Amino acid sequence: MLQDLYVSEGGFKGYVTGHYLLHLLEARMDKASKPDPAGGNGATRQTPFLLDPMTPGQWLGMIQAQTAAGGAFFMNWNGRRLAINGRLYVFDDGKAGSPPAGEWNDGVPPTYREIARQVVHLGLSRTKESQKFSQKFRRLFDNPDPGSTAAYGGMLPTLAGAMFLAEPRRNWRAWPINWMLLDFAESLTPYGSQLDKHFTWDKILWHPEALDVDSGAPNPSVYARVPVKKPQTGPLGGGGGIGAIQFAGGLHRVGGKMPASPTGGGAQGGADVGQNLNYIQQKEVTILVRWLAARNRWTALRPADARDATLPVCDFNWDAYSHISGNSKAVMEKIRDDIDKRITTFDKML
């Protein structure tokens, strides 16, 4: 995982920790405008929220309204009707304006593993195909058109609803973090030590070695006992902390690149940023640090990467704005503005 940023810009040369950056992102989400959403109150199929005309702020307002009211809701979007149940699972409820019929996945809320398996089946693990999928994904928001979902049926809006409705209801930070993931997938921004990897939708949603492992089955299949091929660190389960995952059956606690994807990701992600970061928050830091580095041509650092002890460090502080001053003021204002823009626009930013 990534941990910090090395920055040399605007009179500042030093480090900004991912811990502090995540705290700042959380503070900016708290301050983001959340106006009343369009359409009805979403309580029935006859009074759905209308997602097509919504601005990013109105999406946040809808999330806030649903969180305050609790329960199930209906939404019309790109010719489909989405529903979210009281457990915050999103599913396709058929064609907008019609009685439930022809629902994608039979109207059953899919898991991220199940969607990842369909992604692979559709060839979306291939870089260019994944990029095309990402472009259609973004058009759901900025250019609503029922035809844009035709190639994937109800899968695309259902996935988008899970990422940008259900996950922010569990954890506000998921809103900008998931837009950053979409930026990576659509821009094909490379990563890895050799810059030879790309964010594709199979890897975003689930761990590639665990696609065939159903962690919810009473008796997990033989696949669960297959040793992992690539060293992987993650939660060990049973309160065992974080350590080396030995078998594929443990990878459901790792999930994909998306921080919310592992088992229990929503619950862990819903915790406020404090003195210590849990596993999901560390995954969020990785996405945030990588995105800011890619956008500004700064350097993303892993825990083992060397640091210059003589340079200043903007580290976690309970005051999320403590470093927007002095020599770091210009850099931190740039970071704040980048985060604010990612919260308030549907546009691609990489």
Side-chain angles (χ1 to χ4, degrees), residues 54-268:
M54 282 193 191
T55 65
Q58 288 173 320
W59 263 83
L60 297 179
M62 175 183 64
I63 293 167
Q64 181 170 261
Q66 290 189 15
T67 301
F73 296 91
F74 297 90
M75 298 140 287
N76 287 0
W77 195 24
N78 283 266
R80 304 297 299 178
R81 182 175 54 245
L82 292 184
I84 183 169
N85 64 25
R87 297 181 62 197
L88 304 187
Y89 293 128
V90 174
F91 56 96
D92 181 65
D93 195 49
K95 185 178 179 181
S98 301
E103 306 98 318
W104 177 76
N105 205 43
D106 294 325
V108 177
T111 66
Y112 288 123
R113 181 188 76 91
E114 289 167 344
I115 298 179
R117 284 169 59 89
Q118 294 203 30
V119 160
V120 172
H121 176 73
L122 292 170
L124 303 180
S125 56
R126 297 193 294 268
T127 304
K128 289 295 184 180
E129 294 303 314
S130 178
Q131 183 183 44
K132 292 177 183 177
F133 182 79
S134 303
Q135 292 165 345
K136 290 181 179 292
F137 196 122
R138 194 180 301 274
R139 284 201 292 273
L140 288 176
F141 293 86
D142 61 17
N143 185 28
D145 173 13
S148 67
T149 65
Y152 309 106
M155 182 181 78
L156 188 53
T158 302
L159 173 59
M163 291 178 63
F164 292 104
L165 173 59
E167 298 307 345
R169 280 188 60 179
R170 298 181 177 104
N171 165 19
W172 275 120
R173 297 185 307 275
W175 174 266
I177 291 294
N178 286 347
W179 282 110
M180 293 173 190
L181 280 168
L182 182 58
D183 285 343
F184 283 127
E186 188 175 355
S187 65
L188 296 183
T189 302
Y191 72 97
S193 58
Q194 304 300 316
L195 295 179
D196 57 350
K197 301 178 181 178
H198 298 89
F199 284 82
T200 53
W201 281 97
D202 55 324
K203 292 185 288 188
I204 288 173
L205 297 175
W206 205 244
H207 196 287
E209 292 186 45
L211 288 175
D212 295 322
V213 181
D214 183 359
S215 60
N219 297 295
S221 69
V222 65
Y223 296 113
R225 297 186 290 276
V226 174
V228 297
K229 299 176 183 177
K230 180 181 177 182
Q232 177 69 63
T233 299
L236 297 176
I242 296 176
I245 302 295
Q246 302 292 335
F247 300 98
L251 292 174
H252 70 96
R253 294 187 295 271
V254 174
K257 298 294 185 184
M258 184 169 66
S261 61
T263 301
Q268 286 192 57

Side-chain angles (χ1 to χ4, degrees), residues 40-60:
N41 61 11
T44 70
R45 292 184 174 94
Q46 291 71 42
T47 60
F49 289 109
L50 303 178
L51 304 190
D52 289 350
M54 282 193 191
T55 65
Q58 288 173 320
W59 263 83
L60 297 179

